[in-house]
Amino acid sequence: MKQQDNELTAYCGLFCGDCIRYMSKTSDLASQLLNELRKVKYENYVKVKQKDVKELGNYEAMVSAMEAICKLNCDLPCRSGSGGCAQGCEIAKCVNLKGIEGCWACKELETCNNFEFLRPFHGNAPHNNIRKIKKYGLDEWAAHRETIYIWSEKISEE
């Protein structure tokens, strides 16, 4: 595994290189689109055009959603200093408080409740990945990793 991949291993056992917020251009594209819409004062066009195109009545909600997407950008993995992809990530706080490299080094992993906020997106992938980190080591585990999102296709054959 490349050193870069090692750095993309999150405290919780997820692989940041697979994350929508880290790898996707969605935040940048949303920002570019919002800038262009503001530049041409598209809201004025919408006010007139929504009489014929009813869906434009949702323009303000779309702008609000795009602004939220812009805020979801992640430029730096948690182990590189960002503090976690979730504001106030309890996992990042816990690992830093304990002075350990990641959850794989924690004796309380199996009884830890800090992973619950990840379950709707990631299922059991964090715990499964941590087991693989323990088995293969931090430099080799990513080739065997679980998919990052419960709706994604399986990455490894394990």
Side-chain angles (χ1 to χ4, degrees):
M1 175 195 285
K2 297 181 258 179
Q3 177 66 22
Q4 176 186 358
D5 291 347
N6 181 314
E7 293 168 0
L8 293 177
T9 300
Y11 293 128
C12 64
L14 291 173
F15 186 70
C16 297
D18 294 335
C19 179
I20 287 173
R21 294 176 64 178
Y22 183 78
M23 67 164 197
S24 174
K25 296 186 254 180
T26 53
S27 293
D28 293 337
L29 291 171
S31 179
Q32 289 173 18
L33 178 57
L34 285 172
N35 287 337
E36 184 64 20
L37 292 171
R38 289 176 179 132
K39 179 177 139 184
V40 299
K41 299 184 183 345
Y42 205 80
E43 67 279 3
N44 294 328
Y45 177 76
V46 166
K47 288 176 187 173
V48 176
K49 194 66 175 170
Q50 71 184 352
K51 294 172 189 161
D52 299 319
V53 182
K54 300 297 178 205
E55 295 83 358
L56 290 176
N58 299 318
Y59 180 78
E60 287 182 28
M62 183 274 306
V63 167
S64 179
M66 298 284 277
E67 289 170 341
I69 291 170
C70 291
K71 293 175 186 172
L72 292 175
N73 189 35
C74 175
D75 292 325
L76 190 64
C78 60
R79 289 183 53 236
S80 297
S82 76
C85 60
Q87 288 290 52
C89 177
E90 293 302 316
I91 294 171
K93 287 179 189 175
C94 180
V95 166
N96 287 317
L97 183 67
K98 291 180 178 181
I100 57 178
E101 190 172 19
C103 294
W104 52 91
C106 184
K107 295 175 181 148
E108 301 167 22
L109 174 67
E110 297 304 325
T111 59
C112 182
N113 292 321
N114 288 338
F115 289 82
E116 290 306 310
F117 79 100
L118 295 171
R119 198 169 302 284
F121 290 105
H122 308 295
N124 291 321
H127 276 98
N128 293 340
N129 285 344
I130 288 170
R131 288 182 192 101
K132 290 176 184 187
I133 292 169
K134 288 180 176 186
K135 180 178 180 179
Y136 298 103
L138 192 57
D139 291 332
E140 301 296 330
W141 81 275
H144 308 277
R145 68 189 181 273
E146 296 283 318
T147 57
I148 194 166
Y149 297 109
I150 57 175
W151 58 82
S152 299
E153 293 181 26
K154 192 154 181 67
I155 293 172
S156 71
E157 295 302 316
E158 282 187 44

